[in-house]
PDB file of all heavy atoms in Angstrom:
ATOM      1  N   GLN A 238     122.788 101.919 103.777  1.00 98.00           N
ATOM      2  CA  GLN A 238     121.769 102.954 104.070  1.00 98.00           C
ATOM      3  C   GLN A 238     120.695 102.361 104.994  1.00 98.00           C
ATOM      4  O   GLN A 238     120.267 103.035 105.967  1.00 98.00           O
ATOM      5  CB  GLN A 238     121.145 103.491 102.809  1.00 98.00           C
ATOM      6  CG  GLN A 238     122.035 104.415 101.985  1.00 98.00           C
ATOM      7  CD  GLN A 238     122.933 103.684 101.008  1.00 98.00           C
ATOM      8  OE1 GLN A 238     123.158 102.470 101.108  1.00 98.00           O
ATOM      9  NE2 GLN A 238     123.474 104.393 100.031  1.00 98.00           N
ATOM     10  N   TYR A 239     120.283 101.163 104.709  1.00 98.00           N
ATOM     11  CA  TYR A 239     119.290 100.487 105.557  1.00 98.00           C
ATOM     12  C   TYR A 239     119.814 100.248 106.967  1.00 98.00           C
ATOM     13  O   TYR A 239     119.162 100.530 107.939  1.00 98.00           O
ATOM     14  CB  TYR A 239     118.909  99.159 104.887  1.00 98.00           C
ATOM     15  CG  TYR A 239     118.252  98.132 105.819  1.00 98.00           C
ATOM     16  CD1 TYR A 239     116.888  98.264 106.141  1.00 98.00           C
ATOM     17  CD2 TYR A 239     119.001  97.105 106.367  1.00 98.00           C
ATOM     18  CE1 TYR A 239     116.286  97.345 106.985  1.00 98.00           C
ATOM     19  CE2 TYR A 239     118.387  96.200 107.207  1.00 98.00           C
ATOM     20  CZ  TYR A 239     117.037  96.315 107.525  1.00 98.00           C
ATOM     21  OH  TYR A 239     116.470  95.410 108.357  1.00 98.00           O
ATOM     22  N   HIS A 240     121.079  99.808 107.069  1.00 98.00           N
ATOM     23  CA  HIS A 240     121.660  99.585 108.385  1.00 98.00           C
ATOM     24  C   HIS A 240     121.781 100.865 109.176  1.00 98.00           C
ATOM     25  O   HIS A 240     121.520 100.872 110.383  1.00 98.00           O
ATOM     26  CB  HIS A 240     123.041  98.918 108.230  1.00 98.00           C
ATOM     27  CG  HIS A 240     122.978  97.494 107.848  1.00 98.00           C
ATOM     28  ND1 HIS A 240     123.979  96.852 107.116  1.00 98.00           N
ATOM     29  CD2 HIS A 240     122.046  96.516 108.097  1.00 98.00           C
ATOM     30  CE1 HIS A 240     123.667  95.593 106.930  1.00 98.00           C
ATOM     31  NE2 HIS A 240     122.494  95.375 107.499  1.00 98.00           N
ATOM     32  N   ASP A 241     122.144 101.964 108.505  1.00 98.00           N
ATOM     33  CA  ASP A 241     122.236 103.255 109.216  1.00 98.00           C
ATOM     34  C   ASP A 241     120.891 103.665 109.778  1.00 98.00           C
ATOM     35  O   ASP A 241     120.783 104.038 110.950  1.00 98.00           O
ATOM     36  CB  ASP A 241     122.733 104.341 108.257  1.00 98.00           C
ATOM     37  CG  ASP A 241     124.200 104.272 107.942  1.00 98.00           C
ATOM     38  OD1 ASP A 241     124.904 103.399 108.527  1.00 98.00           O
ATOM     39  OD2 ASP A 241     124.683 105.077 107.151  1.00 98.00           O
ATOM     40  N   ALA A 242     119.855 103.564 108.957  1.00 98.00           N
ATOM     41  CA  ALA A 242     118.519 103.974 109.384  1.00 98.00           C
ATOM     42  C   ALA A 242     118.017 103.091 110.492  1.00 98.00           C
ATOM     43  O   ALA A 242     117.419 103.547 111.498  1.00 98.00           O
ATOM     44  CB  ALA A 242     117.564 103.919 108.223  1.00 98.00           C
ATOM     45  N   LEU A 243     118.302 101.770 110.429  1.00 98.00           N
ATOM     46  CA  LEU A 243     117.882 100.820 111.454  1.00 98.00           C
ATOM     47  C   LEU A 243     118.619 101.093 112.791  1.00 98.00           C
ATOM     48  O   LEU A 243     118.006 101.140 113.857  1.00 98.00           O
ATOM     49  CB  LEU A 243     118.087  99.390 110.982  1.00 98.00           C
ATOM     50  CG  LEU A 243     117.686  98.292 111.970  1.00 98.00           C
ATOM     51  CD1 LEU A 243     116.190  98.356 112.246  1.00 98.00           C
ATOM     52  CD2 LEU A 243     118.057  96.908 111.401  1.00 98.00           C
ATOM     53  N   ARG A 244     119.924 101.262 112.685  1.00 98.00           N
ATOM     54  CA  ARG A 244     120.694 101.498 113.918  1.00 98.00           C
ATOM     55  C   ARG A 244     120.249 102.755 114.653  1.00 98.00           C
ATOM     56  O   ARG A 244     120.086 102.789 115.866  1.00 98.00           O
ATOM     57  CB  ARG A 244     122.197 101.596 113.588  1.00 98.00           C
ATOM     58  CG  ARG A 244     122.858 100.243 113.276  1.00 98.00           C
ATOM     59  CD  ARG A 244     124.345 100.306 113.534  1.00 98.00           C
ATOM     60  NE  ARG A 244     124.976 101.498 112.908  1.00 98.00           N
ATOM     61  CZ  ARG A 244     125.444 101.525 111.672  1.00 98.00           C
ATOM     62  NH1 ARG A 244     125.245 100.487 110.870  1.00 98.00           N
ATOM     63  NH2 ARG A 244     126.014 102.615 111.209  1.00 98.00           N
ATOM     64  N   ALA A 245     120.111 103.874 113.867  1.00 98.00           N
ATOM     65  CA  ALA A 245     119.722 105.132 114.491  1.00 98.00           C
ATOM     66  C   ALA A 245     118.319 105.019 115.132  1.00 98.00           C
ATOM     67  O   ALA A 245     118.100 105.516 116.228  1.00 98.00           O
ATOM     68  CB  ALA A 245     119.707 106.233 113.442  1.00 98.00           C
ATOM     69  N   THR A 246     117.400 104.332 114.460  1.00 98.00           N
ATOM     70  CA  THR A 246     116.036 104.184 114.998  1.00 98.00           C
ATOM     71  C   THR A 246     116.026 103.344 116.255  1.00 98.00           C
ATOM     72  O   THR A 246     115.414 103.715 117.256  1.00 98.00           O
ATOM     73  CB  THR A 246     115.134 103.590 113.934  1.00 98.00           C
ATOM     74  OG1 THR A 246     115.153 104.441 112.739  1.00 98.00           O
ATOM     75  CG2 THR A 246     113.670 103.515 114.429  1.00 98.00           C
TER      76      THR A 246
END
Side-chain angles (χ1 to χ4, degrees):
Q238 286 87 342
Y239 162 80
H240 285 152
D241 284 358
L243 180 62
R244 285 203 312 273
T246 304

